[in-house]
Amino acid sequence: MKLVQGKVVLITGASRGIGRAIALKFAEQGANVAFTYLSSVEKGEALEKELEAFGGKAKGYRSDAADFKAADELVNSVVADFGTIDILVNNAGITRDTLLMRMSEQQWDEVMNANLKSVFNLTKAVQRPMLKARKGSIVNMSSVVGVSGNAGQSNYAASKAGVIGFTKSIAQELGSRNIRCNAIAPGFIETEMTAALDEKVIQQWRESIPLKRGGSTDDVANVTLFLGSDMSAYITGQCINVCGGMLM
Ligand code: NAP
């Protein structure tokens, strides 16, 4: 029996990186996958075909997670297309890194809207189908820097710390309705984005991690699958670090 056979999962920001690995993992484990992207239209369309090859239903939606109305419309469309939403993965996120001294109001607002307001938007919208079904699992992507802070990322770290506080609050609000809400704090995950960095810098990062390597997108997708599935039925309000021991 596959871990999420027949369940409907909605994943935000799945055209690339971690979100894409999560979508593939859920499809491989029998889920019907609804996912979003914003600018990567071709990648989104290609992913839809890749996911369908696993035998379940798959559909990509171009939708801005930072837009409250669009998130509500998205959830209505997914429910109309798939019947319900069992699992929500709030993965979409951006960085606009710079020191506070140079940070513009726009850089602050863009990050807060894409990383934190998006989580509010989607969680509020999926409450309806989840309350109706009297079950659900919500997984929010935070970051180790949301716990530890990081110079040059005050906007990003604040948004990711906010995600953890939101997660714990929603777990308390919706626990009695059998709706779980957990967060994941990835450490240094090697994606297309990090591949563009200087190899020497990457090597220094790897050496500073107890497991002596950067994480893979699959490392994060495996924990997301666990938290989304009934394997974690008694876990809610937690933030799991997926960071090779970087943060203890
Ligand atoms: P990524 O490769 O940059 O991919 C981000 C995804 O989010 C893309 O699919 C992008 O869509 C989508 N997206 C961005 N803004 C959006 C919006 N407003 N509405 C809908 N979709 C949006 O990022 P990643 O490295 O995989 O990171 C995924 C998540 O993990 C993020 O929340 C990030 O903060 C978190 N994280 C990553 C790391 C890491 O080391 N990589 C570490 C800790 C936490 P388009 O392609 O269409 O723009």
Side-chain angles (χ1 to χ4, degrees), residues 12-19 36-41 63-66 91-94 114-115 141-144 156 160 186-191 193-194:
T12 63
S15 51
R16 296 182 276 127
I18 294 170
T36 72
Y37 50 88
L38 189 57
S39 53
S40 310
V41 179
S63 180
D64 184 356
N91 168 77
I94 60 167
N115 296 3
M141 213 50 76
S142 179
S143 166
V144 288
Y156 183 78
K160 294 300 188 182
F188 171 54
I189 307 301
E190 300 200 29
T191 60
M193 200 169 70
T194 53

PDB file of all heavy atoms in Angstrom, residues 12-19 36-41 63-66 91-94 114-115 141-144 156 160 186-191 193-194, ligand 1:
ATOM      1  N   THR A  12       2.111  24.369  -3.141  1.00  0.00           N
ATOM      2  CA  THR A  12       2.402  25.654  -3.785  1.00  0.00           C
ATOM      3  C   THR A  12       3.876  25.696  -4.201  1.00  0.00           C
ATOM      4  O   THR A  12       4.746  25.153  -3.509  1.00  0.00           O
ATOM      5  CB  THR A  12       2.104  26.854  -2.856  1.00  0.00           C
ATOM      6  OG1 THR A  12       2.956  26.782  -1.704  1.00  0.00           O
ATOM      7  CG2 THR A  12       0.658  26.880  -2.413  1.00  0.00           C
ATOM      8  N   GLY A  13       4.132  26.325  -5.341  1.00  0.00           N
ATOM      9  CA  GLY A  13       5.511  26.511  -5.808  1.00  0.00           C
ATOM     10  C   GLY A  13       6.221  25.208  -6.122  1.00  0.00           C
ATOM     11  O   GLY A  13       7.267  24.905  -5.553  1.00  0.00           O
ATOM     12  N   ALA A  14       5.643  24.444  -7.078  1.00  0.00           N
ATOM     13  CA  ALA A  14       6.220  23.121  -7.368  1.00  0.00           C
ATOM     14  C   ALA A  14       6.922  23.055  -8.729  1.00  0.00           C
ATOM     15  O   ALA A  14       7.301  21.969  -9.161  1.00  0.00           O
ATOM     16  CB  ALA A  14       5.138  22.055  -7.288  1.00  0.00           C
ATOM     17  N   SER A  15       7.115  24.194  -9.368  1.00  0.00           N
ATOM     18  CA  SER A  15       7.749  24.137 -10.696  1.00  0.00           C
ATOM     19  C   SER A  15       9.244  23.827 -10.612  1.00  0.00           C
ATOM     20  O   SER A  15       9.845  23.356 -11.574  1.00  0.00           O
ATOM     21  CB  SER A  15       7.550  25.471 -11.422  1.00  0.00           C
ATOM     22  OG  SER A  15       7.953  26.541 -10.587  1.00  0.00           O
ATOM     23  N   ARG A  16       9.839  24.082  -9.453  1.00  0.00           N
ATOM     24  CA  ARG A  16      11.295  23.930  -9.310  1.00  0.00           C
ATOM     25  C   ARG A  16      11.628  23.423  -7.907  1.00  0.00           C
ATOM     26  O   ARG A  16      10.784  23.442  -7.018  1.00  0.00           O
ATOM     27  CB  ARG A  16      11.990  25.287  -9.457  1.00  0.00           C
ATOM     28  CG  ARG A  16      11.861  25.920 -10.782  1.00  0.00           C
ATOM     29  CD  ARG A  16      12.622  27.233 -10.858  1.00  0.00           C
ATOM     30  NE  ARG A  16      11.859  28.360 -10.340  1.00  0.00           N
ATOM     31  CZ  ARG A  16      12.315  29.191  -9.413  1.00  0.00           C
ATOM     32  NH1 ARG A  16      13.488  29.006  -8.851  1.00  0.00           N
ATOM     33  NH2 ARG A  16      11.581  30.218  -9.021  1.00  0.00           N
ATOM     34  N   GLY A  17      12.896  23.056  -7.746  1.00  0.00           N
ATOM     35  CA  GLY A  17      13.486  22.822  -6.433  1.00  0.00           C
ATOM     36  C   GLY A  17      12.730  21.857  -5.529  1.00  0.00           C
ATOM     37  O   GLY A  17      12.310  20.775  -5.950  1.00  0.00           O
ATOM     38  N   ILE A  18      12.570  22.273  -4.278  1.00  0.00           N
ATOM     39  CA  ILE A  18      11.985  21.407  -3.254  1.00  0.00           C
ATOM     40  C   ILE A  18      10.529  21.051  -3.586  1.00  0.00           C
ATOM     41  O   ILE A  18      10.121  19.892  -3.462  1.00  0.00           O
ATOM     42  CB  ILE A  18      12.082  22.110  -1.870  1.00  0.00           C
ATOM     43  CG1 ILE A  18      13.566  22.242  -1.457  1.00  0.00           C
ATOM     44  CG2 ILE A  18      11.289  21.366  -0.819  1.00  0.00           C
ATOM     45  CD1 ILE A  18      13.815  23.122  -0.226  1.00  0.00           C
ATOM     46  N   GLY A  19       9.756  22.032  -4.039  1.00  0.00           N
ATOM     47  CA  GLY A  19       8.337  21.797  -4.339  1.00  0.00           C
ATOM     48  C   GLY A  19       8.157  20.746  -5.427  1.00  0.00           C
ATOM     49  O   GLY A  19       7.278  19.868  -5.337  1.00  0.00           O
ATOM     50  N   THR A  36       1.016  24.522  -7.810  1.00  0.00           N
ATOM     51  CA  THR A  36       1.036  25.860  -8.393  1.00  0.00           C
ATOM     52  C   THR A  36       2.446  26.277  -8.804  1.00  0.00           C
ATOM     53  O   THR A  36       3.440  25.674  -8.381  1.00  0.00           O
ATOM     54  CB  THR A  36       0.495  26.935  -7.420  1.00  0.00           C
ATOM     55  OG1 THR A  36       1.461  27.134  -6.372  1.00  0.00           O
ATOM     56  CG2 THR A  36      -0.830  26.539  -6.829  1.00  0.00           C
ATOM     57  N   TYR A  37       2.481  27.314  -9.608  1.00  0.00           N
ATOM     58  CA  TYR A  37       3.724  27.974  -9.996  1.00  0.00           C
ATOM     59  C   TYR A  37       3.340  29.416 -10.283  1.00  0.00           C
ATOM     60  O   TYR A  37       2.146  29.750 -10.322  1.00  0.00           O
ATOM     61  CB  TYR A  37       4.353  27.299 -11.230  1.00  0.00           C
ATOM     62  CG  TYR A  37       3.395  27.107 -12.363  1.00  0.00           C
ATOM     63  CD1 TYR A  37       3.208  28.105 -13.320  1.00  0.00           C
ATOM     64  CD2 TYR A  37       2.632  25.939 -12.461  1.00  0.00           C
ATOM     65  CE1 TYR A  37       2.307  27.936 -14.351  1.00  0.00           C
ATOM     66  CE2 TYR A  37       1.724  25.766 -13.492  1.00  0.00           C
ATOM     67  CZ  TYR A  37       1.565  26.774 -14.438  1.00  0.00           C
ATOM     68  OH  TYR A  37       0.652  26.615 -15.436  1.00  0.00           O
ATOM     69  N   LEU A  38       4.330  30.259 -10.498  1.00  0.00           N
ATOM     70  CA  LEU A  38       4.000  31.663 -10.773  1.00  0.00           C
ATOM     71  C   LEU A  38       4.535  32.098 -12.130  1.00  0.00           C
ATOM     72  O   LEU A  38       3.777  32.457 -13.017  1.00  0.00           O
ATOM     73  CB  LEU A  38       4.545  32.544  -9.649  1.00  0.00           C
ATOM     74  CG  LEU A  38       4.095  33.995  -9.677  1.00  0.00           C
ATOM     75  CD1 LEU A  38       2.576  34.111  -9.650  1.00  0.00           C
ATOM     76  CD2 LEU A  38       4.682  34.751  -8.492  1.00  0.00           C
ATOM     77  N   SER A  39       5.867  32.010 -12.309  1.00  0.00           N
ATOM     78  CA  SER A  39       6.439  32.467 -13.578  1.00  0.00           C
ATOM     79  C   SER A  39       6.873  31.314 -14.483  1.00  0.00           C
ATOM     80  O   SER A  39       6.925  31.472 -15.707  1.00  0.00           O
ATOM     81  CB  SER A  39       7.633  33.389 -13.300  1.00  0.00           C
ATOM     82  OG  SER A  39       8.544  32.739 -12.446  1.00  0.00           O
ATOM     83  N   SER A  40       7.177  30.148 -13.909  1.00  0.00           N
ATOM     84  CA  SER A  40       7.720  29.035 -14.715  1.00  0.00           C
ATOM     85  C   SER A  40       6.612  28.223 -15.385  1.00  0.00           C
ATOM     86  O   SER A  40       6.362  27.062 -15.040  1.00  0.00           O
ATOM     87  CB  SER A  40       8.541  28.107 -13.822  1.00  0.00           C
ATOM     88  OG  SER A  40       9.466  28.822 -13.064  1.00  0.00           O
ATOM     89  N   VAL A  41       5.968  28.830 -16.393  1.00  0.00           N
ATOM     90  CA  VAL A  41       4.813  28.187 -17.032  1.00  0.00           C
ATOM     91  C   VAL A  41       5.195  26.878 -17.738  1.00  0.00           C
ATOM     92  O   VAL A  41       4.548  25.838 -17.538  1.00  0.00           O
ATOM     93  CB  VAL A  41       4.153  29.172 -18.033  1.00  0.00           C
ATOM     94  CG1 VAL A  41       2.964  28.526 -18.722  1.00  0.00           C
ATOM     95  CG2 VAL A  41       3.720  30.442 -17.302  1.00  0.00           C
ATOM     96  N   SER A  63      -0.846  30.497 -10.171  1.00  0.00           N
ATOM     97  CA  SER A  63      -1.549  31.237  -9.116  1.00  0.00           C
ATOM     98  C   SER A  63      -0.543  31.859  -8.156  1.00  0.00           C
ATOM     99  O   SER A  63       0.402  31.198  -7.731  1.00  0.00           O
ATOM    100  CB  SER A  63      -2.475  30.268  -8.370  1.00  0.00           C
ATOM    101  OG  SER A  63      -3.161  30.930  -7.344  1.00  0.00           O
ATOM    102  N   ASP A  64      -0.780  33.124  -7.817  1.00  0.00           N
ATOM    103  CA  ASP A  64       0.119  33.831  -6.900  1.00  0.00           C
ATOM    104  C   ASP A  64      -0.317  33.567  -5.460  1.00  0.00           C
ATOM    105  O   ASP A  64      -1.363  34.053  -5.022  1.00  0.00           O
ATOM    106  CB  ASP A  64       0.076  35.333  -7.218  1.00  0.00           C
ATOM    107  CG  ASP A  64       1.058  36.132  -6.369  1.00  0.00           C
ATOM    108  OD1 ASP A  64       1.710  35.529  -5.483  1.00  0.00           O
ATOM    109  OD2 ASP A  64       1.166  37.353  -6.595  1.00  0.00           O
ATOM    110  N   ALA A  65       0.501  32.820  -4.724  1.00  0.00           N
ATOM    111  CA  ALA A  65       0.150  32.448  -3.355  1.00  0.00           C
ATOM    112  C   ALA A  65       0.070  33.671  -2.437  1.00  0.00           C
ATOM    113  O   ALA A  65      -0.598  33.639  -1.403  1.00  0.00           O
ATOM    114  CB  ALA A  65       1.170  31.452  -2.816  1.00  0.00           C
ATOM    115  N   ALA A  66       0.724  34.760  -2.820  1.00  0.00           N
ATOM    116  CA  ALA A  66       0.734  35.972  -2.000  1.00  0.00           C
ATOM    117  C   ALA A  66      -0.563  36.774  -2.134  1.00  0.00           C
ATOM    118  O   ALA A  66      -0.795  37.721  -1.378  1.00  0.00           O
ATOM    119  CB  ALA A  66       1.921  36.846  -2.392  1.00  0.00           C
ATOM    120  N   ASN A  91       4.699  25.569   0.262  1.00  0.00           N
ATOM    121  CA  ASN A  91       6.137  25.520  -0.044  1.00  0.00           C
ATOM    122  C   ASN A  91       6.660  26.781  -0.723  1.00  0.00           C
ATOM    123  O   ASN A  91       7.840  27.107  -0.590  1.00  0.00           O
ATOM    124  CB  ASN A  91       6.405  24.295  -0.936  1.00  0.00           C
ATOM    125  CG  ASN A  91       7.794  24.331  -1.533  1.00  0.00           C
ATOM    126  OD1 ASN A  91       8.782  24.049  -0.865  1.00  0.00           O
ATOM    127  ND2 ASN A  91       7.887  24.715  -2.816  1.00  0.00           N
ATOM    128  N   ALA A  92       5.808  27.511  -1.446  1.00  0.00           N
ATOM    129  CA  ALA A  92       6.266  28.660  -2.242  1.00  0.00           C
ATOM    130  C   ALA A  92       7.039  29.642  -1.376  1.00  0.00           C
ATOM    131  O   ALA A  92       6.631  29.932  -0.242  1.00  0.00           O
ATOM    132  CB  ALA A  92       5.074  29.363  -2.879  1.00  0.00           C
ATOM    133  N   GLY A  93       8.149  30.128  -1.881  1.00  0.00           N
ATOM    134  CA  GLY A  93       8.922  31.094  -1.110  1.00  0.00           C
ATOM    135  C   GLY A  93       9.964  31.781  -1.971  1.00  0.00           C
ATOM    136  O   GLY A  93      10.345  31.275  -3.028  1.00  0.00           O
ATOM    137  N   ILE A  94      10.392  32.949  -1.502  1.00  0.00           N
ATOM    138  CA  ILE A  94      11.409  33.719  -2.218  1.00  0.00           C
ATOM    139  C   ILE A  94      12.428  34.302  -1.234  1.00  0.00           C
ATOM    140  O   ILE A  94      12.168  34.337  -0.031  1.00  0.00           O
ATOM    141  CB  ILE A  94      10.792  34.890  -3.042  1.00  0.00           C
ATOM    142  CG1 ILE A  94      10.040  35.874  -2.111  1.00  0.00           C
ATOM    143  CG2 ILE A  94       9.876  34.377  -4.138  1.00  0.00           C
ATOM    144  CD1 ILE A  94       9.672  37.198  -2.785  1.00  0.00           C
ATOM    145  N   ALA A 114       5.153  36.774   0.031  1.00  0.00           N
ATOM    146  CA  ALA A 114       5.337  35.474  -0.638  1.00  0.00           C
ATOM    147  C   ALA A 114       5.553  34.341   0.368  1.00  0.00           C
ATOM    148  O   ALA A 114       5.133  33.207   0.130  1.00  0.00           O
ATOM    149  CB  ALA A 114       6.511  35.547  -1.607  1.00  0.00           C
ATOM    150  N   ASN A 115       6.210  34.639   1.496  1.00  0.00           N
ATOM    151  CA  ASN A 115       6.576  33.556   2.425  1.00  0.00           C
ATOM    152  C   ASN A 115       5.617  33.379   3.592  1.00  0.00           C
ATOM    153  O   ASN A 115       5.435  32.260   4.062  1.00  0.00           O
ATOM    154  CB  ASN A 115       7.973  33.814   3.010  1.00  0.00           C
ATOM    155  CG  ASN A 115       9.062  33.783   1.960  1.00  0.00           C
ATOM    156  OD1 ASN A 115       8.789  33.630   0.777  1.00  0.00           O
ATOM    157  ND2 ASN A 115      10.297  33.935   2.385  1.00  0.00           N
ATOM    158  N   MET A 141       6.536  25.216   4.894  1.00  0.00           N
ATOM    159  CA  MET A 141       7.992  25.234   4.737  1.00  0.00           C
ATOM    160  C   MET A 141       8.571  26.463   5.426  1.00  0.00           C
ATOM    161  O   MET A 141       8.358  27.593   4.990  1.00  0.00           O
ATOM    162  CB  MET A 141       8.335  25.242   3.243  1.00  0.00           C
ATOM    163  CG  MET A 141       9.606  24.519   2.893  1.00  0.00           C
ATOM    164  SD  MET A 141       9.762  22.852   3.576  1.00  0.00           S
ATOM    165  CE  MET A 141       8.661  21.947   2.508  1.00  0.00           C
ATOM    166  N   SER A 142       9.282  26.227   6.517  1.00  0.00           N
ATOM    167  CA  SER A 142       9.991  27.306   7.200  1.00  0.00           C
ATOM    168  C   SER A 142      11.449  27.228   6.757  1.00  0.00           C
ATOM    169  O   SER A 142      11.749  26.901   5.616  1.00  0.00           O
ATOM    170  CB  SER A 142       9.821  27.157   8.717  1.00  0.00           C
ATOM    171  OG  SER A 142      10.510  28.178   9.387  1.00  0.00           O
ATOM    172  N   SER A 143      12.370  27.491   7.672  1.00  0.00           N
ATOM    173  CA  SER A 143      13.802  27.416   7.373  1.00  0.00           C
ATOM    174  C   SER A 143      14.568  27.462   8.687  1.00  0.00           C
ATOM    175  O   SER A 143      14.080  28.066   9.666  1.00  0.00           O
ATOM    176  CB  SER A 143      14.222  28.613   6.513  1.00  0.00           C
ATOM    177  OG  SER A 143      15.639  28.726   6.500  1.00  0.00           O
ATOM    178  N   VAL A 144      15.759  26.896   8.717  1.00  0.00           N
ATOM    179  CA  VAL A 144      16.565  26.973   9.948  1.00  0.00           C
ATOM    180  C   VAL A 144      16.850  28.431  10.312  1.00  0.00           C
ATOM    181  O   VAL A 144      16.991  28.760  11.487  1.00  0.00           O
ATOM    182  CB  VAL A 144      17.901  26.182   9.851  1.00  0.00           C
ATOM    183  CG1 VAL A 144      17.661  24.684   9.873  1.00  0.00           C
ATOM    184  CG2 VAL A 144      18.725  26.603   8.671  1.00  0.00           C
ATOM    185  N   TYR A 156      13.699  37.531   5.336  1.00  0.00           N
ATOM    186  CA  TYR A 156      13.447  36.097   5.132  1.00  0.00           C
ATOM    187  C   TYR A 156      13.323  35.368   6.476  1.00  0.00           C
ATOM    188  O   TYR A 156      12.385  34.587   6.694  1.00  0.00           O
ATOM    189  CB  TYR A 156      14.600  35.524   4.303  1.00  0.00           C
ATOM    190  CG  TYR A 156      14.475  34.061   3.940  1.00  0.00           C
ATOM    191  CD1 TYR A 156      13.628  33.655   2.901  1.00  0.00           C
ATOM    192  CD2 TYR A 156      15.200  33.088   4.613  1.00  0.00           C
ATOM    193  CE1 TYR A 156      13.532  32.308   2.555  1.00  0.00           C
ATOM    194  CE2 TYR A 156      15.105  31.750   4.278  1.00  0.00           C
ATOM    195  CZ  TYR A 156      14.265  31.371   3.246  1.00  0.00           C
ATOM    196  OH  TYR A 156      14.170  30.047   2.903  1.00  0.00           O
ATOM    197  N   LYS A 160      10.069  33.398   8.017  1.00  0.00           N
ATOM    198  CA  LYS A 160      10.117  31.960   8.326  1.00  0.00           C
ATOM    199  C   LYS A 160       9.873  31.696   9.816  1.00  0.00           C
ATOM    200  O   LYS A 160       9.343  30.650  10.179  1.00  0.00           O
ATOM    201  CB  LYS A 160      11.460  31.369   7.874  1.00  0.00           C
ATOM    202  CG  LYS A 160      11.651  31.392   6.353  1.00  0.00           C
ATOM    203  CD  LYS A 160      10.569  30.584   5.649  1.00  0.00           C
ATOM    204  CE  LYS A 160      10.828  30.423   4.159  1.00  0.00           C
ATOM    205  NZ  LYS A 160       9.759  29.672   3.477  1.00  0.00           N
ATOM    206  N   PRO A 186      14.158  23.403   6.614  1.00  0.00           N
ATOM    207  CA  PRO A 186      15.316  22.869   5.895  1.00  0.00           C
ATOM    208  C   PRO A 186      16.549  23.720   6.198  1.00  0.00           C
ATOM    209  O   PRO A 186      16.456  24.916   6.467  1.00  0.00           O
ATOM    210  CB  PRO A 186      14.933  23.009   4.413  1.00  0.00           C
ATOM    211  CG  PRO A 186      13.462  23.306   4.388  1.00  0.00           C
ATOM    212  CD  PRO A 186      13.178  23.996   5.698  1.00  0.00           C
ATOM    213  N   GLY A 187      17.707  23.065   6.129  1.00  0.00           N
ATOM    214  CA  GLY A 187      18.973  23.782   6.278  1.00  0.00           C
ATOM    215  C   GLY A 187      19.477  24.195   4.907  1.00  0.00           C
ATOM    216  O   GLY A 187      18.761  24.862   4.145  1.00  0.00           O
ATOM    217  N   PHE A 188      20.684  23.772   4.582  1.00  0.00           N
ATOM    218  CA  PHE A 188      21.269  24.120   3.282  1.00  0.00           C
ATOM    219  C   PHE A 188      20.917  22.997   2.297  1.00  0.00           C
ATOM    220  O   PHE A 188      21.489  21.913   2.335  1.00  0.00           O
ATOM    221  CB  PHE A 188      22.777  24.283   3.450  1.00  0.00           C
ATOM    222  CG  PHE A 188      23.512  24.439   2.158  1.00  0.00           C
ATOM    223  CD1 PHE A 188      23.146  25.419   1.245  1.00  0.00           C
ATOM    224  CD2 PHE A 188      24.575  23.608   1.832  1.00  0.00           C
ATOM    225  CE1 PHE A 188      23.818  25.563   0.037  1.00  0.00           C
ATOM    226  CE2 PHE A 188      25.260  23.745   0.637  1.00  0.00           C
ATOM    227  CZ  PHE A 188      24.873  24.723  -0.261  1.00  0.00           C
ATOM    228  N   ILE A 189      19.951  23.288   1.435  1.00  0.00           N
ATOM    229  CA  ILE A 189      19.496  22.290   0.462  1.00  0.00           C
ATOM    230  C   ILE A 189      20.051  22.663  -0.910  1.00  0.00           C
ATOM    231  O   ILE A 189      19.909  23.802  -1.355  1.00  0.00           O
ATOM    232  CB  ILE A 189      17.944  22.234   0.416  1.00  0.00           C
ATOM    233  CG1 ILE A 189      17.350  22.027   1.817  1.00  0.00           C
ATOM    234  CG2 ILE A 189      17.473  21.139  -0.548  1.00  0.00           C
ATOM    235  CD1 ILE A 189      17.779  20.780   2.564  1.00  0.00           C
ATOM    236  N   GLU A 190      20.692  21.707  -1.549  1.00  0.00           N
ATOM    237  CA  GLU A 190      21.332  22.013  -2.840  1.00  0.00           C
ATOM    238  C   GLU A 190      20.302  21.920  -3.963  1.00  0.00           C
ATOM    239  O   GLU A 190      19.752  20.865  -4.236  1.00  0.00           O
ATOM    240  CB  GLU A 190      22.531  21.085  -3.051  1.00  0.00           C
ATOM    241  CG  GLU A 190      23.548  21.270  -1.927  1.00  0.00           C
ATOM    242  CD  GLU A 190      24.952  20.782  -2.266  1.00  0.00           C
ATOM    243  OE1 GLU A 190      25.317  20.809  -3.451  1.00  0.00           O
ATOM    244  OE2 GLU A 190      25.667  20.384  -1.329  1.00  0.00           O
ATOM    245  N   THR A 191      20.034  23.082  -4.563  1.00  0.00           N
ATOM    246  CA  THR A 191      19.055  23.179  -5.663  1.00  0.00           C
ATOM    247  C   THR A 191      19.716  23.927  -6.820  1.00  0.00           C
ATOM    248  O   THR A 191      20.883  24.307  -6.731  1.00  0.00           O
ATOM    249  CB  THR A 191      17.812  23.986  -5.209  1.00  0.00           C
ATOM    250  OG1 THR A 191      18.257  25.297  -4.829  1.00  0.00           O
ATOM    251  CG2 THR A 191      17.097  23.351  -4.050  1.00  0.00           C
ATOM    252  N   MET A 193      19.288  26.844  -7.546  1.00  0.00           N
ATOM    253  CA  MET A 193      19.644  28.162  -7.013  1.00  0.00           C
ATOM    254  C   MET A 193      21.052  28.137  -6.390  1.00  0.00           C
ATOM    255  O   MET A 193      21.872  29.005  -6.663  1.00  0.00           O
ATOM    256  CB  MET A 193      18.616  28.541  -5.948  1.00  0.00           C
ATOM    257  CG  MET A 193      18.511  29.994  -5.614  1.00  0.00           C
ATOM    258  SD  MET A 193      17.057  30.277  -4.607  1.00  0.00           S
ATOM    259  CE  MET A 193      17.549  29.498  -3.085  1.00  0.00           C
ATOM    260  N   THR A 194      21.332  27.098  -5.595  1.00  0.00           N
ATOM    261  CA  THR A 194      22.637  27.037  -4.926  1.00  0.00           C
ATOM    262  C   THR A 194      23.736  26.596  -5.896  1.00  0.00           C
ATOM    263  O   THR A 194      24.905  26.890  -5.676  1.00  0.00           O
ATOM    264  CB  THR A 194      22.592  26.093  -3.711  1.00  0.00           C
ATOM    265  OG1 THR A 194      22.085  24.831  -4.140  1.00  0.00           O
ATOM    266  CG2 THR A 194      21.718  26.633  -2.614  1.00  0.00           C
TER     267      THR A 194
HETATM  268  P1  NAP B   1      13.024  27.729  -5.599  1.00  0.00           P
HETATM  269  O1  NAP B   1      13.828  26.700  -6.301  1.00  0.00           O
HETATM  270  O2  NAP B   1      13.365  29.153  -5.778  1.00  0.00           O
HETATM  271  O3  NAP B   1      11.468  27.505  -5.985  1.00  0.00           O
HETATM  272  C1  NAP B   1      10.476  28.325  -5.441  1.00  0.00           C
HETATM  273  C2  NAP B   1       9.131  27.905  -5.976  1.00  0.00           C
HETATM  274  O4  NAP B   1       8.155  28.778  -5.408  1.00  0.00           O
HETATM  275  C3  NAP B   1       9.009  28.028  -7.479  1.00  0.00           C
HETATM  276  O5  NAP B   1       8.219  26.974  -7.960  1.00  0.00           O
HETATM  277  C4  NAP B   1       8.288  29.363  -7.663  1.00  0.00           C
HETATM  278  O6  NAP B   1       7.488  29.417  -8.850  1.00  0.00           O
HETATM  279  C5  NAP B   1       7.370  29.348  -6.466  1.00  0.00           C
HETATM  280  N1  NAP B   1       6.898  30.667  -6.055  1.00  0.00           N
HETATM  281  C6  NAP B   1       7.617  31.728  -5.623  1.00  0.00           C
HETATM  282  N2  NAP B   1       6.795  32.736  -5.295  1.00  0.00           N
HETATM  283  C7  NAP B   1       5.529  32.303  -5.531  1.00  0.00           C
HETATM  284  C8  NAP B   1       4.233  32.869  -5.395  1.00  0.00           C
HETATM  285  N3  NAP B   1       4.066  34.126  -4.946  1.00  0.00           N
HETATM  286  N4  NAP B   1       3.157  32.132  -5.745  1.00  0.00           N
HETATM  287  C9  NAP B   1       3.296  30.870  -6.194  1.00  0.00           C
HETATM  288  N5  NAP B   1       4.487  30.269  -6.349  1.00  0.00           N
HETATM  289  C10 NAP B   1       5.589  30.979  -6.028  1.00  0.00           C
HETATM  290  O7  NAP B   1      13.022  27.488  -4.018  1.00  0.00           O
HETATM  291  P2  NAP B   1      13.432  26.193  -3.149  1.00  0.00           P
HETATM  292  O8  NAP B   1      14.866  26.293  -2.808  1.00  0.00           O
HETATM  293  O9  NAP B   1      12.916  24.955  -3.764  1.00  0.00           O
HETATM  294  O10 NAP B   1      12.625  26.504  -1.792  1.00  0.00           O
HETATM  295  C11 NAP B   1      11.303  26.014  -1.557  1.00  0.00           C
HETATM  296  C12 NAP B   1      10.881  26.418  -0.140  1.00  0.00           C
HETATM  297  O11 NAP B   1      11.834  25.912   0.807  1.00  0.00           O
HETATM  298  C13 NAP B   1      10.833  27.931   0.073  1.00  0.00           C
HETATM  299  O12 NAP B   1       9.778  28.264   0.945  1.00  0.00           O
HETATM  300  C14 NAP B   1      12.184  28.228   0.731  1.00  0.00           C
HETATM  301  O13 NAP B   1      12.149  29.397   1.498  1.00  0.00           O
HETATM  302  C15 NAP B   1      12.351  26.985   1.586  1.00  0.00           C
HETATM  303  N6  NAP B   1      13.756  26.703   1.949  1.00  0.00           N
HETATM  304  C16 NAP B   1      14.685  26.435   0.999  1.00  0.00           C
HETATM  305  C17 NAP B   1      16.012  26.167   1.382  1.00  0.00           C
HETATM  306  C18 NAP B   1      17.094  25.848   0.381  1.00  0.00           C
HETATM  307  O14 NAP B   1      18.264  25.688   0.799  1.00  0.00           O
HETATM  308  N7  NAP B   1      16.809  25.702  -0.899  1.00  0.00           N
HETATM  309  C19 NAP B   1      16.340  26.199   2.726  1.00  0.00           C
HETATM  310  C20 NAP B   1      15.356  26.489   3.671  1.00  0.00           C
HETATM  311  C21 NAP B   1      14.054  26.724   3.261  1.00  0.00           C
HETATM  312  P3  NAP B   1       8.058  30.006 -10.258  1.00  0.00           P
HETATM  313  O15 NAP B   1       9.182  29.092 -10.671  1.00  0.00           O
HETATM  314  O16 NAP B   1       6.918  29.926 -11.187  1.00  0.00           O
HETATM  315  O17 NAP B   1       8.551  31.386  -9.941  1.00  0.00           O
END
